[in-house]
Amino acid sequence: MAEKQYDWSAIAKNPKFVELHHKKAAFLFGWWIFSLIFYFLLPIGAAYAPGLFKIKIIGVINFGYLFALSQFLVSWGISLYYARVAERDFDRLTRELVDELHL
Amino acid sequence: MTFKNMMIVALLTFSLAAAAFAEEPKNAAPAGGSTPAATAAAPAMPAPPSAMAPASSQPAPATAPAQKKAEVKANKAVTLTMFAIIIAITLGVVVWAAKHTKTTADFYAAGGGITGAQNGWAISGDYMSAASFLGISGMISLYGIDGFMYSVGWLVAYITVLLIVAEPCRNAGKYTLGDILSFRTDPKPVRAVAALSTVAVSTFYLTAQMVGAGKLMALLVGIPYKASIIGVGILMVGYVVFGGMTATTWVQIIKAGLLMSGAILLSVLVLVKAGFNPIFFFEQVVTNPDIQDHVSKLVLKDGIVLNGVDAGQRFLEAGLFMKAPLDQISLGMALVLGTAGMPHILMRFFTVPTAQAARKSVIIAMFIIGAFYVLTTLLGFGAAIHLTPQAIIKVDPAGNMATLMLAQQLGSEIAPILGDLFLAFLCSVAFATILAVVSGLVLAASAAIAHDIYVNVIKDGHADQHEQVMAARITSLVVGAAGIIIGIMAENANVAHLVALAFAVASSGNLPVVILSLFWRKFNTAGVISGLLVGTVASIGLVLVSPNMTYPKLVAAGAQKVVAALEAKQAALPPGQALAEKDAKTLAKAKVDAQKTGTSMMGLEKPLFSLKNPGIVSIPLGFLAAIIGCLLFPNKRSEEMFDELYVRQNTGLGMSKAIDH
């Protein structure tokens, strides 16, 4: 296996990589923490705010059901948003970095 | 190759024989208290209020007499034909996959040749067990919205997988958890400990699945417990040993396809009945007199009086099932963080060629899994409306048969034969589901033992392709055989807490060290080992002293209350009149239980830890132990190598190509 030798610490200091890593870390951990907080509102709310959860919104459908349903929509939303940002920013930066290294 | 083919043919005949061996179950009607899917469905949920009898907390089969009046009986000929078709198709896949499985990369990672979309379906197939398929809709049909809220965590878990672990693992890993963790640490001890935790997680999960499979097959088609376990076990070993990851992947894809078709078809039938109007659908729930009656009785146990529409509306409000909020939150933590630490899920990311494909596969899996859980609402509430909770409980107190009964009923409303066909189809979906999940688990455990322990610890990485593949095959055979034996031995064991335990270990042991390895410069060998060990030991230890275990004195105390209540009832009867037969039986049993004395497995009289799910304590402990262990024994080399790992995991540069020879 003819694996190319890379100077890893030099790449790690490459401004393109630094930009990639900052953008990515902020995005990933930011949305991860958001999704966790949003999720735990569901069991916490169901247990400690039953009054809110039983308010009827559409016909007999109450806030609790819609909130649980919104968890699905939010998860899907985050995943699609991430896919877009990753393709637009992270993948592009990675490609540019790799091209630069191979020159 | 001819030898391989012959073996496969032999396997096919053997497993068919095992299925055919299933004699007509004269009174093999599974004893009461059998809750096949729920064992996995409801990781350590509070016991359903309907099963408040103290005896419900201990392994029932030996003591509880068969009290079932109703049962779902699938048409055996049709069902077994469908099983045979599934077996034939999957074995065809195995024959084809075996031809392409020559190297270790082929065996563990399907040569990196799985596309993002295929992997998305395979992840769904790997993840959705019979428990989600039968258990969650059953829970909804009996306890309303709580079942739906429970399903949410299973999807949200994938956000962690998507954002934190999938792509870095693809870029930095090769076949196993040990590969990722040993990148910049002392490989031998780290691999050994990682393999240990992988085997622990897989064994817990596999045992729960095997026992569930045996009981489910007995309940559905009347195949005896042992024959089911052996049949399922032989198939699973056959897929993995001969077809490796390629065959496992395709079995999972086929299963996910079948599961989604079944769920969509049944949902459409339910929606037709509600005129495709969701508001009307929920009104049907609220105004259904049987549901109202069922809820009235449920809340009456908590001393609350609700009747009519109020009771119906209560079915759409939380808290009928999940009565211990802290336990719920703890379970949620284990689910949401544990999925990303599940070795058999992590392993799926090594089968795709690039990080982009890994990302795509998680997103596809999220849509499939999420859609399935949303449909589950329709199935669960649909079953409550069209079958009534009372009829569902009669067949299985845990509600696991709700989906199947619904299929039979809605099908036969169109034409009687359709009911049988539909039921048989869903039974075979359950069958395929079991096969797909257990195969993934066996492969993950075998990879940990063969790749991490044998090749890299014992042989120092000096083993040629042929020897490695041989080791992988033999290990799979042994792991599978062990799975069958454990499955048979655990028939009467209480396995309900094992799935929760698997998630607890994955979230407290594996996840912290995976995240810290990938993202923290200072992380090192000591951190990995202390994190993995403390997380794993803490989860197992807390479960061992939790209410999941059986405490004879508590059982006795509960039984005494039942005795007192029933004797009071007897005393209140006019002289000469005896208790109803059911009450008399309960009284007799409670009297026996009331004599129980002794201690739990751990020698305890009562639980030391009050939660059934340890996550809320063990996850922080796992993180803390990893951080403290690492800070106590700093390591320069690990820090220096962080740049390499970090650049690799972000860019995919120098990725270990799965196609390397």
Side-chain angles (χ1 to χ4, degrees):
Chain A
M1 89 172 156
E3 199 179 295
K4 217 179 142 183
Q5 290 302 313
Y6 296 97
D7 181 352
W8 300 107
S9 53
I11 303 176
K13 290 192 191 75
N14 184 306
K16 277 251 156 63
F17 183 78
V18 174
E19 186 192 348
L20 171 70
H21 139 74
H22 279 234
K23 276 193 172 169
K24 225 172 152 175
F27 184 96
L28 297 181
F29 284 94
W31 282 102
W32 184 45
I33 289 164
F34 168 80
S35 80
L36 290 181
I37 294 174
F38 189 68
Y39 168 67
F40 282 106
L41 286 178
L42 181 69
I44 293 172
Y48 302 107
L52 171 67
F53 272 44
K54 65 170 72 157
I55 295 172
K56 288 185 216 168
I57 308 273
I58 314 168
V60 297
I61 301 173
N62 58 29
F63 178 81
Y65 177 77
L66 293 177
F67 187 54
L69 199 61
S70 78
Q71 296 275 344
F72 287 81
L73 303 177
V74 167
S75 299
W76 288 334
I78 292 177
S79 75
L80 290 181
Y81 179 55
Y82 169 61
R84 238 190 55 180
V85 172
E87 266 162 44
R88 198 188 55 205
D89 290 348
F90 309 153
D91 288 356
R92 177 181 53 82
L93 278 168
T94 311
R95 255 194 323 274
E96 286 173 13
L97 175 73
V98 172
D99 286 346
E100 197 180 303
L101 293 172
H102 283 288
L103 277 180
Chain B
M1 202 50 70
T2 39
F3 169 72
K4 238 184 235 169
N5 286 345
M6 274 168 58
M7 280 301 288
I8 290 166
V9 171
L11 269 177
L12 173 64
T13 18
F14 198 8
S15 50
L16 277 182
F21 170 73
E23 27 184 322
E24 203 58 50
K26 283 169 199 93
N27 42 17
S34 66
T35 52
T39 53
M45 293 287 229
S50 63
M52 288 276 262
S56 69
S57 58
Q58 55 159 331
T63 42
Q67 343 146 300
K68 228 161 267 156
K69 288 171 199 86
E71 51 183 57
V72 202
K73 260 290 155 262
N75 182 320
K76 213 166 168 182
V78 181
T79 313
L80 288 182
T81 313
M82 287 200 188
F83 280 19
I85 295 174
I86 288 180
I87 294 174
I89 293 174
T90 50
L91 286 183
V93 169
V94 174
V95 173
W96 165 77
K99 286 187 189 140
H100 299 272
T101 304
K102 296 193 183 75
T103 64
T104 32
D106 294 336
F107 191 86
Y108 294 127
I114 304 290
T115 67
Q118 288 166 350
N119 198 38
W121 281 89
I123 293 171
S124 322
D126 205 357
Y127 189 63
M128 292 187 287
S129 57
S132 358
F133 164 46
L134 301 175
I136 292 180
S137 50
M139 205 194 293
I140 295 176
S141 74
L142 296 185
Y143 303 104
I145 200 170
D146 272 1
F148 182 52
M149 291 197 172
Y150 169 66
S151 75
V152 170
W154 295 82
L155 174 72
V156 174
Y158 275 87
I159 296 277
T160 309
V161 177
L162 175 69
L163 297 181
I164 309 294
V165 304
E167 295 175 50
C169 284
R170 165 58 283 182
N171 281 338
K174 205 171 171 196
Y175 307 139
T176 62
L177 179 67
D179 287 332
I180 303 167
L181 297 181
S182 65
F183 196 91
R184 57 192 177 110
T185 53
D186 186 4
K188 280 195 180 182
V190 166
R191 279 185 190 275
V193 178
L196 208 69
S197 120
T198 298
V199 171
V201 172
S202 309
T203 311
F204 294 147
Y205 213 124
L206 186 62
T207 307
Q209 294 294 328
M210 289 298 265
V211 173
K215 299 212 163 140
L216 197 60
M217 287 301 124
L219 199 59
L220 290 180
V221 258
I223 302 173
Y225 181 84
K226 285 196 179 70
S228 312
I229 299 257
I230 294 171
V232 165
I234 288 173
L235 283 168
M236 124 191 129
V237 169
Y239 298 152
V240 177
V241 170
F242 297 106
M245 182 53 105
T246 312
T248 306
T249 303
W250 282 98
V251 170
Q252 289 167 345
I253 294 174
I254 292 171
K255 167 271 177 103
L258 288 173
L259 182 62
M260 288 310 285
S261 328
I264 291 173
L265 202 60
L266 195 50
S267 302
V268 169
L269 290 182
V270 170
L271 275 177
V272 168
K273 293 210 133 203
F276 288 94
N277 178 351
I279 299 173
F280 176 63
F281 178 70
F282 283 106
E283 270 164 13
Q284 278 184 306
V285 175
V286 174
T287 54
N288 184 306
D290 291 308
I291 295 178
Q292 291 171 356
D293 185 49
H294 172 72
V295 175
S296 300
K297 289 198 174 120
L298 274 184
V299 294
L300 197 59
K301 287 184 178 136
D302 295 336
I304 299 163
V305 179
L306 270 185
N307 282 306
V309 183
D310 290 338
Q313 186 69 36
R314 182 73 184 82
F315 205 56
L316 300 181
E317 290 161 10
L320 285 179
F321 190 97
M322 302 179 174
K323 297 184 176 180
L326 213 54
D327 227 335
Q328 240 36 73
I329 293 165
S330 187
L331 174 65
M333 286 177 71
L335 276 182
V336 168
L337 299 175
T339 304
M342 281 285 178
H344 67 292
I345 299 290
L346 285 182
M347 202 174 175
R348 290 238 50 93
F349 298 112
F350 306 129
T351 65
V352 291
T354 60
Q356 284 78 6
R359 182 194 307 151
K360 190 176 162 193
S361 63
V362 185
I363 294 174
I364 290 177
M366 283 180 71
F367 275 86
I368 298 171
I369 295 168
F372 178 78
Y373 287 135
V374 172
L375 293 182
T376 307
T377 333
L378 291 175
L379 306 188
F381 284 122
I385 297 170
H386 301 298
L387 302 166
T388 77
Q390 292 84 351
I392 295 168
I393 289 183
K394 259 190 200 151
V395 173
D396 178 37
N400 290 317
M401 294 298 118
T403 313
L404 301 166
M405 291 164 71
L406 183 67
Q408 192 175 31
Q409 168 142 352
L410 295 186
S412 57
E413 276 175 19
I414 302 170
I417 179 73
L418 269 185
D420 276 354
L421 274 178
F422 205 5
L423 176 60
F425 176 67
L426 286 192
C427 290
S428 44
V429 170
F431 176 61
T433 293
I434 292 162
L435 291 176
V437 177
V438 294
S439 306
L441 290 169
V442 167
L443 190 58
S446 314
I449 297 173
H451 177 69
D452 285 327
I453 300 221
Y454 179 74
V455 174
N456 282 297
V457 176
I458 297 177
K459 302 287 271 183
D460 268 328
H462 301 303
D464 62 22
Q465 283 295 328
H466 179 74
E467 188 185 350
Q468 290 196 30
V469 175
M470 210 52 201
R473 290 208 154 111
I474 294 172
T475 314
S476 318
L477 188 67
V478 174
V479 169
I484 297 176
I485 294 168
I486 295 175
I488 290 177
M489 289 195 317
E491 179 174 1
N492 294 331
N494 179 3
V495 295
H497 55 278
L498 283 181
V499 171
L501 184 54
F503 275 93
V505 171
S507 58
S508 326
N510 300 355
L511 187 79
V513 297
V514 168
I515 292 186
L516 293 172
S517 285
L518 291 171
F519 295 98
W520 191 29
R521 180 176 296 271
K522 288 202 165 110
F523 204 51
N524 58 32
T525 310
V528 175
I529 293 178
S530 61
L532 270 178
L533 285 182
V534 170
T536 306
V537 171
S539 327
I540 299 177
L542 285 175
V543 166
L544 283 177
V545 299
S546 74
N548 291 306
M549 300 290 122
T550 306
Y551 299 87
K553 287 203 172 146
L554 291 187
V555 172
Q560 270 155 13
K561 280 187 201 149
V562 175
V563 172
L566 286 176
E567 279 177 349
K569 194 172 172 184
Q570 193 167 31
L573 289 172
Q577 209 172 328
L579 278 173
E581 195 191 343
K582 201 177 145 202
D583 283 346
K585 268 189 191 163
T586 317
L587 179 59
K589 188 174 161 351
K591 276 187 173 158
V592 176
D593 283 342
Q595 303 307 318
K596 283 196 180 186
T597 180
T599 54
S600 77
M601 231 164 83
M602 300 303 292
L604 295 172
E605 286 185 4
K606 61 180 189 341
L608 282 181
F609 181 68
S610 62
L611 298 180
K612 290 187 164 192
N613 298 286
I616 202 164
V617 175
S618 61
I619 295 171
L621 264 182
F623 270 104
L624 262 180
I627 293 170
I628 292 173
C630 157
L631 291 179
L632 281 182
F633 303 94
N635 183 309
K636 228 135 188 91
R637 185 178 156 274
S638 292
E639 280 186 47
E640 279 163 3
M641 281 191 72
F642 180 72
D643 277 341
E644 175 174 354
L645 176 70
Y646 200 65
V647 171
R648 276 175 186 260
Q649 65 114 321
N650 272 295
T651 60
L653 282 174
M655 187 199 294
S656 77
K657 287 268 186 298
I659 26 213
D660 274 346
H661 284 281

